[in-house]
PDB file of all heavy atoms in Angstrom:
ATOM      1  N   PHE F 392     -10.947 -16.525-103.857  1.00  0.00           N
ATOM      2  CA  PHE F 392     -11.166 -17.691-104.703  1.00  0.00           C
ATOM      3  C   PHE F 392     -10.583 -18.915-104.007  1.00  0.00           C
ATOM      4  O   PHE F 392      -9.750 -18.814-103.092  1.00  0.00           O
ATOM      5  CB  PHE F 392     -10.515 -17.499-106.074  1.00  0.00           C
ATOM      6  CG  PHE F 392     -11.042 -16.301-106.832  1.00  0.00           C
ATOM      7  CD1 PHE F 392     -10.171 -15.376-107.373  1.00  0.00           C
ATOM      8  CD2 PHE F 392     -12.410 -16.123-106.987  1.00  0.00           C
ATOM      9  CE1 PHE F 392     -10.652 -14.282-108.075  1.00  0.00           C
ATOM     10  CE2 PHE F 392     -12.896 -15.022-107.685  1.00  0.00           C
ATOM     11  CZ  PHE F 392     -12.020 -14.110-108.225  1.00  0.00           C
ATOM     12  N   GLU F 393     -11.005 -20.118-104.524  1.00  0.00           N
ATOM     13  CA  GLU F 393     -10.488 -21.393-104.031  1.00  0.00           C
ATOM     14  C   GLU F 393     -10.048 -22.236-105.204  1.00  0.00           C
ATOM     15  O   GLU F 393     -10.673 -22.205-106.281  1.00  0.00           O
ATOM     16  CB  GLU F 393     -11.551 -22.147-103.224  1.00  0.00           C
ATOM     17  CG  GLU F 393     -11.916 -21.490-101.911  1.00  0.00           C
ATOM     18  CD  GLU F 393     -12.893 -22.343-101.108  1.00  0.00           C
ATOM     19  OE1 GLU F 393     -13.344 -23.375-101.657  1.00  0.00           O
ATOM     20  OE2 GLU F 393     -13.191 -21.974 -99.951  1.00  0.00           O
ATOM     21  N   VAL F 394      -8.972 -22.988-105.015  1.00  0.00           N
ATOM     22  CA  VAL F 394      -8.486 -23.926-106.017  1.00  0.00           C
ATOM     23  C   VAL F 394      -7.852 -25.103-105.283  1.00  0.00           C
ATOM     24  O   VAL F 394      -7.215 -24.929-104.240  1.00  0.00           O
ATOM     25  CB  VAL F 394      -7.470 -23.235-106.951  1.00  0.00           C
ATOM     26  CG1 VAL F 394      -6.253 -22.755-106.187  1.00  0.00           C
ATOM     27  CG2 VAL F 394      -7.069 -24.177-108.081  1.00  0.00           C
ATOM     28  N   GLN F 395      -8.072 -26.302-105.837  1.00  0.00           N
ATOM     29  CA  GLN F 395      -7.535 -27.492-105.200  1.00  0.00           C
ATOM     30  C   GLN F 395      -6.044 -27.592-105.437  1.00  0.00           C
ATOM     31  O   GLN F 395      -5.539 -27.216-106.499  1.00  0.00           O
ATOM     32  CB  GLN F 395      -8.228 -28.751-105.724  1.00  0.00           C
ATOM     33  CG  GLN F 395      -9.637 -28.949-105.157  1.00  0.00           C
ATOM     34  CD  GLN F 395     -10.183 -30.319-105.478  1.00  0.00           C
ATOM     35  OE1 GLN F 395      -9.686 -31.017-106.361  1.00  0.00           O
ATOM     36  NE2 GLN F 395     -11.216 -30.716-104.753  1.00  0.00           N
ATOM     37  N   GLU F 396      -5.371 -28.124-104.409  1.00  0.00           N
ATOM     38  CA  GLU F 396      -3.944 -28.342-104.594  1.00  0.00           C
ATOM     39  C   GLU F 396      -3.732 -29.471-105.600  1.00  0.00           C
ATOM     40  O   GLU F 396      -4.621 -30.309-105.812  1.00  0.00           O
ATOM     41  CB  GLU F 396      -3.265 -28.654-103.262  1.00  0.00           C
ATOM     42  CG  GLU F 396      -3.668 -29.973-102.626  1.00  0.00           C
ATOM     43  CD  GLU F 396      -2.869 -30.288-101.378  1.00  0.00           C
ATOM     44  OE1 GLU F 396      -1.697 -29.885-101.325  1.00  0.00           O
ATOM     45  OE2 GLU F 396      -3.415 -30.918-100.454  1.00  0.00           O
ATOM     46  N   ASN F 397      -2.558 -29.439-106.202  1.00  0.00           N
ATOM     47  CA  ASN F 397      -2.165 -30.404-107.224  1.00  0.00           C
ATOM     48  C   ASN F 397      -3.022 -30.298-108.478  1.00  0.00           C
ATOM     49  O   ASN F 397      -3.042 -31.218-109.310  1.00  0.00           O
ATOM     50  CB  ASN F 397      -2.225 -31.846-106.694  1.00  0.00           C
ATOM     51  CG  ASN F 397      -1.351 -32.013-105.458  1.00  0.00           C
ATOM     52  OD1 ASN F 397      -0.297 -31.400-105.355  1.00  0.00           O
ATOM     53  ND2 ASN F 397      -1.792 -32.846-104.513  1.00  0.00           N
ATOM     54  N   ALA F 398      -3.806 -29.170-108.610  1.00  0.00           N
ATOM     55  CA  ALA F 398      -4.598 -28.993-109.811  1.00  0.00           C
ATOM     56  C   ALA F 398      -3.684 -28.809-111.005  1.00  0.00           C
ATOM     57  O   ALA F 398      -2.581 -28.247-110.890  1.00  0.00           O
ATOM     58  CB  ALA F 398      -5.539 -27.802-109.661  1.00  0.00           C
ATOM     59  N   ALA F 399      -4.159 -29.232-112.152  1.00  0.00           N
ATOM     60  CA  ALA F 399      -3.336 -29.162-113.365  1.00  0.00           C
ATOM     61  C   ALA F 399      -3.124 -27.716-113.764  1.00  0.00           C
ATOM     62  O   ALA F 399      -3.915 -26.832-113.440  1.00  0.00           O
ATOM     63  CB  ALA F 399      -4.010 -29.940-114.499  1.00  0.00           C
ATOM     64  N   SER F 400      -2.030 -27.492-114.499  1.00  0.00           N
ATOM     65  CA  SER F 400      -1.732 -26.145-114.978  1.00  0.00           C
ATOM     66  C   SER F 400      -2.833 -25.681-115.914  1.00  0.00           C
ATOM     67  O   SER F 400      -3.311 -26.443-116.755  1.00  0.00           O
ATOM     68  CB  SER F 400      -0.386 -26.153-115.705  1.00  0.00           C
ATOM     69  OG  SER F 400      -0.118 -24.894-116.260  1.00  0.00           O
ATOM     70  N   GLY F 401      -3.240 -24.438-115.775  1.00  0.00           N
ATOM     71  CA  GLY F 401      -4.322 -23.886-116.591  1.00  0.00           C
ATOM     72  C   GLY F 401      -5.680 -23.977-115.933  1.00  0.00           C
ATOM     73  O   GLY F 401      -6.691 -23.583-116.531  1.00  0.00           O
ATOM     74  N   THR F 402      -5.738 -24.440-114.687  1.00  0.00           N
ATOM     75  CA  THR F 402      -7.018 -24.508-113.974  1.00  0.00           C
ATOM     76  C   THR F 402      -7.506 -23.109-113.671  1.00  0.00           C
ATOM     77  O   THR F 402      -6.746 -22.263-113.174  1.00  0.00           O
ATOM     78  CB  THR F 402      -6.863 -25.324-112.676  1.00  0.00           C
ATOM     79  OG1 THR F 402      -6.401 -26.631-113.008  1.00  0.00           O
ATOM     80  CG2 THR F 402      -8.180 -25.401-111.925  1.00  0.00           C
ATOM     81  N   VAL F 403      -8.780 -22.822-113.955  1.00  0.00           N
ATOM     82  CA  VAL F 403      -9.346 -21.507-113.701  1.00  0.00           C
ATOM     83  C   VAL F 403      -9.569 -21.338-112.201  1.00  0.00           C
ATOM     84  O   VAL F 403     -10.209 -22.181-111.551  1.00  0.00           O
ATOM     85  CB  VAL F 403     -10.661 -21.324-114.479  1.00  0.00           C
ATOM     86  CG1 VAL F 403     -11.291 -19.986-114.135  1.00  0.00           C
ATOM     87  CG2 VAL F 403     -10.409 -21.423-115.974  1.00  0.00           C
ATOM     88  N   VAL F 404      -9.045 -20.242-111.675  1.00  0.00           N
ATOM     89  CA  VAL F 404      -9.188 -19.945-110.242  1.00  0.00           C
ATOM     90  C   VAL F 404     -10.416 -19.082-109.997  1.00  0.00           C
ATOM     91  O   VAL F 404     -11.223 -19.334-109.089  1.00  0.00           O
ATOM     92  CB  VAL F 404      -7.921 -19.238-109.711  1.00  0.00           C
ATOM     93  CG1 VAL F 404      -8.103 -18.852-108.248  1.00  0.00           C
ATOM     94  CG2 VAL F 404      -6.715 -20.130-109.881  1.00  0.00           C
ATOM     95  N   GLY F 405     -10.597 -18.025-110.780  1.00  0.00           N
ATOM     96  CA  GLY F 405     -11.725 -17.107-110.619  1.00  0.00           C
ATOM     97  C   GLY F 405     -11.596 -15.962-111.604  1.00  0.00           C
ATOM     98  O   GLY F 405     -10.691 -15.924-112.446  1.00  0.00           O
TER      99      GLY F 405
END
Side-chain angles (χ1 to χ4, degrees):
F392 300 130
E393 292 184 354
V394 62
Q395 284 191 343
E396 66 175 329
N397 303 325
S400 176
T402 301
V403 176
V404 177

